[in-house]
Amino acid sequence: MRDYYKRLVNFIAIMIAVAFEALSYGYLWYTHYSVLIDHHIGKHFYRRGNWAMIGLYILVMVLLTNAFDGYKITYMRLRDIILSHVPSIIIANVIGYIEICLTGGIYFSASPLVLLCAVQIVFIILWAYLTRRIYVILYPPRELLLIYGKYPYEHICDKLNERKDRYNISGKISIDEDMSEIESLLLKYRAAILADLPDERRNSIIKFCSANSIRVYVTPKISDIMFRGADDIHLFDTPLFLIRNNGIPVDKLIVKRAMDIVSSLLGIIILSPIMLIIALAIKLYDGGPVFYTQDRLTKDGREFKIYKFRSMRVNAEKEGARLAAKGDARITPVGAVIRQLHVDELPQLFNILKGDMSLVGPRPERRQIADEYADSMPEFDLRLKVKAGLTGYAQVYGQYNTTPYDKLKLDLIYIANYSILMDIKIILLTVKILFIRENTEGVDADQKTALKK
C-alpha cells in the first residue's frame, strides 16, 4: 500500500509539472503566435489546429524529460531533478520555436519563448523543491537490513549513506548465520540489500522475500547482467533463455556507425570555433603541444591513438601511467578549466569519424591499466566486444573514480541491452552530467588506477 500511494504522489507531481508547461505554452500560443500567424499569413487556427500545436509541444517536452530521467522524482536528488528538467525545457522551446516558424512560413521574434523558458525554469525549481520536501515528509528513509557475504561491503554502505534521505542501513547480518535468524530479521525490516552473496543462499533469500512481499535490493553479478539481455526461446513447453555473447548485432552496428559518422561530422563543424579557442589557450599558456595522443584499447583489444586536448604539463607521465588524482598538480590552469567543462575530449570526434571509436561505448582504457584490472577481474575484457566511446553508460551513471568492477557492470548492462534509443538517451544524459562536478573528480592521491587499495 505504501508503494501504491508513493506512485500516486509521483504521478500527481508529474501531472502538475506537465500541466503548467502545457498551460504556459498554450497561453503564449493563443495570445501571441497564433495571432501573428493569422495577421501576417492569413492562416486561421481553429480548435483542433491549436490543440495540435500545443499537443506536439507537450509531447516533445514529455519525451525529452523522460529521456533525461526527469520524472524519477521519488529517488533522485533535488539537483538531479532540476538538471533533468532544465535541458528539456530549453530544447523543447527551441523545437517549439522552429515549429512555429515553419507553420507561419517566416521568422518570428523568439523573445516571448525565451521569457516563457525562464518562467518555466523558475517554476520547475520551485516545483522540484516542494515535491522533494513533501516526499521526504510523507516517506521517511527506508530501514534496510544488509545481508553480506565474504566480500567487503563497506563501499555499498558508504554509497547508501550518501542518500540518507532515502535509505538507512539499520541492521547487518552475515549470510553465514542461521537461515531462521535471517528470515526473522527480514520479517522485521521488510526491506533488505543483498551484497555479493553466494548463489544458493541468495536464491533462498529472494524466494523467501518474494513469498512475504519484502522489498529486495541486489548488487548484481556479471551473470545477472548477461541474463538481462537474454532472448526468450519458445521451442517447447520449457522456458529457455538465449544469451548470444556476440556484442551488438550487425544490423544495429550499421545504424550505429551511420549515426557516428553524421554526428561526428556535425560536431566537428559546429564545435570548430570552440576547439580553435581551446587550442590557442593551451598554446599560449606554456608553448607546448596542443594535442595529446595516447594508445588506448577499442573493440577486440585493438590499440589506436586517441586524440585529446592536452590538460597536463608536458612530460606529465615520465614516472609512469596513472589516472588523474584529486587536486593533481600535473594539471595546468587551462587544463583544469577544459577538464571541468569536459571539452578536453572534443578531438575524439576525429577518432569517431575514423572508426576507432563510437559516440557511445565503454571508456577507452590504456593497455597497462586494463591489464591490471583484468588481473583482478578476468571478466574485464568482456567490455571489448564493442568499440570504445566518447561517452557511455558507465560515464553517465558512474563517475571518473568509480571502481573498475562497478564500471564493468555498467558497461555490460549497456552491451546486453543495447539499442539505438539507448544511445540517444545516453547522449542526452551526457548533457546533464556536464554540470555535475563529481563526474570529473579524480582518484585518490595514493591511487594510480581506480582500483581501491
Side-chain angles (χ1 to χ4, degrees):
M1 187 61 69
R2 168 189 166 118
D3 288 336
Y4 171 81
Y5 286 112
K6 183 164 63 175
R7 290 178 181 275
L8 182 61
V9 170
N10 188 70
F11 177 76
I12 292 173
I14 291 172
M15 288 299 100
I16 291 173
V18 172
F20 180 83
E21 290 161 348
L23 291 172
S24 58
Y25 179 80
Y27 175 80
L28 183 63
W29 167 256
Y30 273 106
T31 60
H32 185 74
Y33 285 113
S34 67
V35 176
L36 287 177
I37 292 175
D38 286 350
H39 178 73
H40 291 287
I41 310 300
K43 291 183 179 179
H44 299 284
F45 282 83
Y46 297 98
R47 180 181 299 174
R48 291 182 180 178
N50 290 318
W51 291 355
M53 293 294 291
I54 298 169
L56 184 58
Y57 174 84
I58 290 303
L59 177 63
V60 171
M61 181 74 79
V62 170
L63 290 176
L64 284 169
T65 307
N66 187 61
F68 281 111
D69 291 337
Y71 294 135
K72 297 180 179 180
I73 56 178
T74 56
Y75 68 84
M76 291 178 70
R77 292 184 176 94
L78 174 63
R79 173 198 65 186
D80 294 328
I81 297 173
I82 294 172
L83 287 178
S84 296
H85 280 265
V86 170
S88 304
I89 290 172
I90 294 172
I91 297 172
N93 280 293
V94 170
I95 295 174
Y97 176 71
I98 295 172
E99 177 191 359
I100 289 169
C101 291
L102 289 174
T103 302
I106 62 172
Y107 290 105
F108 295 102
S109 172
S111 299
L113 271 173
V114 172
L115 179 60
L116 173 68
C117 192
V119 170
Q120 288 175 335
I121 290 173
V122 171
F123 172 83
I124 282 298
I125 292 173
L126 295 174
W127 167 85
Y129 175 77
L130 291 174
T131 300
R132 284 300 302 164
R133 289 289 298 172
I134 292 171
Y135 179 79
V136 169
I137 293 171
L138 292 178
Y139 298 98
R142 190 181 295 273
E143 301 288 327
L144 292 179
L145 172 67
L146 173 67
I147 305 176
Y148 59 90
K150 64 179 181 178
Y151 299 106
Y153 58 85
E154 289 77 13
H155 71 288
I156 192 67
C157 290
D158 293 340
K159 291 178 180 180
L160 287 172
N161 285 334
E162 293 176 1
R163 295 301 311 273
K164 287 187 177 295
D165 60 317
R166 287 279 296 150
Y167 308 108
N168 179 24
I169 299 179
S170 51
K172 301 175 186 175
I173 188 169
S174 170
I175 191 63
D176 294 328
E177 297 295 332
D178 188 82
M179 192 63 186
S180 61
E181 183 178 353
I182 294 174
E183 291 176 354
S184 176
L185 285 174
L186 284 169
L187 292 172
K188 174 184 176 183
Y189 284 94
R190 309 299 302 177
I193 178 165
L194 313 184
D196 288 318
L197 302 184
D199 289 336
E200 184 176 351
R201 299 299 300 274
R202 186 182 71 165
N203 292 343
S204 297
I205 291 174
I206 290 175
K207 290 175 183 177
F208 176 83
C209 291
S210 178
N212 291 277
S213 301
I214 298 172
R215 176 173 292 224
V216 183
Y217 300 86
V218 182
T219 56
K221 300 177 184 294
I222 299 297
S223 57
D224 297 329
I225 293 172
M226 291 178 173
F227 273 118
R228 290 188 61 181
D231 294 332
D232 296 337
I233 303 297
H234 299 289
L235 296 177
F236 31 73
D237 57 356
T238 297
L240 194 65
F241 288 159
L242 170 62
I243 304 175
R244 299 183 186 278
N245 297 319
N246 291 326
I248 300 174
V250 64
D251 55 328
K252 294 181 179 180
L253 279 177
I254 294 172
V255 178
K256 184 176 176 67
R257 179 59 186 151
M259 190 168 72
D260 286 341
I261 293 172
V262 173
S263 58
S264 59
L265 276 173
L266 288 175
I268 290 168
I269 294 170
I270 295 171
L271 298 173
S272 56
I274 297 175
M275 289 194 278
L276 180 60
I277 293 171
I278 295 171
L280 287 172
I282 295 171
K283 194 68 177 179
L284 291 174
Y285 174 72
D286 60 9
V290 170
F291 298 105
Y292 175 70
T293 61
Q294 196 176 71
D295 290 333
R296 296 289 182 97
L297 298 179
T298 188
K299 186 179 179 182
D300 300 325
R302 181 175 66 84
E303 286 191 334
F304 71 100
K305 294 284 186 184
I306 196 172
Y307 307 130
K308 299 180 69 174
F309 282 121
R310 181 174 59 86
S311 61
M312 295 187 177
R313 64 174 187 266
V314 180
N315 298 322
E317 292 192 333
K318 61 183 180 181
E319 297 179 0
R322 60 164 297 168
L323 295 179
K326 298 172 183 176
D328 201 317
R330 300 174 300 163
I331 300 175
T332 66
V334 174
V337 174
I338 63 175
R339 289 173 72 93
Q340 184 71 30
L341 297 175
H342 297 266
V343 293
D344 59 317
E345 298 184 348
L346 288 181
Q348 291 172 35
L349 290 171
F350 294 98
N351 287 119
I352 296 170
L353 188 59
K354 287 174 59 180
D356 293 328
M357 295 175 62
S358 180
L359 193 62
V360 180
R363 182 180 186 273
E365 295 287 358
R366 303 173 68 169
R367 183 172 294 281
Q368 53 267 51
I369 293 177
D371 288 345
E372 184 175 342
Y373 291 161
D375 285 341
S376 57
M377 297 174 292
E379 308 94 339
F380 194 75
D381 287 340
L382 294 176
R383 60 200 293 281
L384 297 178
K385 289 183 177 291
V386 299
K387 287 182 183 178
L390 175 61
T391 185
Y393 199 91
Q395 293 92 308
V396 165
Y397 290 105
Q399 299 174 11
Y400 184 82
N401 55 4
T402 297
T403 65
Y405 190 53
D406 285 337
K407 281 187 177 179
L408 171 62
K409 289 180 180 180
L410 291 169
D411 286 331
L412 293 181
I413 289 174
Y414 170 74
I415 296 171
N417 299 276
Y418 175 77
S419 69
I420 299 299
L421 288 177
M422 177 180 281
D423 270 2
I424 294 172
K425 179 174 182 177
I426 290 171
I427 293 168
L428 291 173
L429 287 174
T430 301
V431 176
K432 184 175 79 171
I433 69 168
L434 295 178
F435 302 95
I436 301 177
R437 185 175 181 273
E438 289 93 325
N439 288 78
T440 62
E441 288 185 347
V443 298
D444 293 333
D446 61 345
Q447 295 177 252
K448 288 189 176 182
T449 69
L451 286 172
K452 299 289 185 180
K453 294 186 177 181

